[in-house]
Amino acid sequence: MSNDTAYKPQPAKHLAVLIDADNAPALIVEGLFEEVAKYGVASVKRIYGDWTGPQLGKWKQVLLDHSIQPIQQFAYTKGKNATDSALIIDAMDLLYTRRFDGFCLVSSDSDFTRLAARLREEGLTVYGFGEEKTPKPFVSACDKFIYTEILRDQPSEPAASDKVTPEQASGNDPARKPDDRKKPQKAPVDFIAKVIDDISDDDGWVALGMVGSNINKLRTDFDPRLYGFRKLSDLIKAHPQRFELQERGATATGKVLEVRNRKKR
């Protein structure tokens, strides 16, 4: 019998990607599916909206290139969003097929909060994608939430449902500054240090992967890219006065990085 213990990759997770076209700009499409690919295979890609009007024109231009299936939903009553109901019904139908490991819900609308919670109750992983204006309840209802601002390099595009005021059109609206979102936020160093202290060993060391996992459990929207770093390890390395990083041991996938809080020492 062979004693071969070579690393065997795990089967890719099958994901259903459901997009609320009324609350997601088309310019995120490239970054969106690159991000989804990190978590699994997009077995289903559907987008919901009223395709009879001109407001979704930019989405129409990219549907074929990314093999996204448009689902027509007429606005039966003015002021009521029928798109949400269609997406939720489809999500439940897909859930009961038992063919999926997770869902990607693309919207900044809090109406999907209960849907995200319901999918998680069934043991599925829920990835949320929305703008920074997304209400906190929806963000917290997901296992992982990714702000779509970090998925694009261009200035923010208002969602189809947004009303553009004359001030916004002229670029003089003080409440809307697209360039502000390009500036990295201040890294939550104290929060990261507390997570490290809570799960570290007697010497203060803990595997960096475990730190990242615990951070995501506490803050589903945590992402190093919000603070100008590609990975958590890059963020840690950028604060040598606060954190100490070392390589220890090795696994089939590479060396293990460990970190500790210098201030606790």
Side-chain angles (χ1 to χ4, degrees):
M1 179 181 293
S2 172
N3 292 321
D4 183 16
T5 57
Y7 171 73
K8 295 181 180 180
Q10 297 295 317
K13 292 184 177 180
H14 291 279
L15 304 175
V17 182
L18 308 181
I19 306 170
D20 174 9
D22 295 328
N23 285 286
L27 59 84
I28 69 169
V29 68
E30 294 283 351
L32 171 65
F33 286 107
E34 288 176 3
E35 190 73 17
V36 170
K38 296 178 182 179
Y39 307 113
V41 177
S43 302
V44 166
K45 293 184 282 187
R46 297 180 185 175
I47 185 167
Y48 301 79
D50 185 354
W51 303 97
T52 61
Q55 69 274 12
L56 300 181
K58 291 187 177 180
W59 271 114
K60 292 177 184 178
Q61 298 171 15
V62 300
L63 295 183
L64 286 177
D65 290 342
H66 295 274
S67 189
I68 308 172
Q69 180 185 3
I71 306 297
Q72 171 62 31
Q73 187 60 46
F74 293 100
Y76 297 111
T77 304
K78 188 174 182 180
K80 299 293 183 180
N81 194 347
T83 299
D84 295 0
S85 299
L87 191 155
I88 292 170
I89 291 171
D90 266 13
M92 297 308 294
D93 287 343
L94 292 171
L95 166 66
Y96 290 122
T97 66
R98 306 298 179 187
R99 295 188 292 113
F100 298 93
D101 302 296
F103 281 74
C104 299
L105 304 179
V106 186
S107 178
S108 302
D109 193 339
S110 62
D111 288 349
F112 299 110
T113 300
R114 180 54 189 149
L115 172 62
R118 181 69 181 86
L119 294 171
R120 292 180 67 187
E121 287 172 3
E122 291 293 322
L124 301 185
T125 304
V126 177
Y127 303 97
F129 295 82
E131 296 180 336
E132 291 180 20
K133 66 181 182 181
T134 305
K136 190 66 176 178
F138 180 35
V139 173
S140 300
C142 300
D143 290 284
K144 175 70 177 174
F145 197 91
I146 298 94
Y147 289 119
T148 53
E149 282 84 356
I150 64 177
L151 302 181
R152 60 193 182 192
D153 297 324
Q154 303 178 39
S156 300
E157 172 193 315
S161 59
D162 290 346
K163 293 182 179 179
V164 180
T165 65
E167 291 80 7
Q168 289 172 328
S170 65
N172 296 322
D173 180 17
R176 188 180 184 87
K177 299 178 181 179
D179 289 342
D180 289 348
R181 284 177 176 170
K182 287 188 176 182
K183 298 176 182 177
Q185 302 174 20
K186 183 180 179 181
V189 175
D190 291 337
F191 167 68
I192 296 172
K194 185 177 186 306
V195 172
I196 292 173
D197 292 343
D198 288 344
I199 61 176
S200 61
D201 61 19
D202 292 340
D203 293 325
W205 290 103
V206 60
L208 187 61
M210 187 179 296
V211 174
S213 178
N214 276 48
I215 287 175
N216 283 326
K217 290 176 183 177
L218 296 169
R219 293 188 184 179
T220 61
D221 58 345
F222 177 86
D223 195 310
R225 291 170 294 183
L226 291 171
Y227 315 109
F229 301 97
R230 191 169 65 90
K231 298 183 296 184
L232 178 58
S233 59
D234 296 331
L235 190 160
I236 294 295
K237 290 175 183 177
H239 296 83
Q241 73 286 356
R242 190 64 185 274
F243 303 114
E244 186 176 357
L245 195 66
Q246 71 173 8
E247 293 181 349
R248 181 179 293 182
T251 67
T253 56
K255 293 183 178 179
V256 175
L257 286 177
E258 291 190 338
V259 62
R260 68 176 171 181
N261 178 14
R262 288 185 186 273
K263 284 196 174 182
K264 187 177 181 181
R265 302 289 297 170

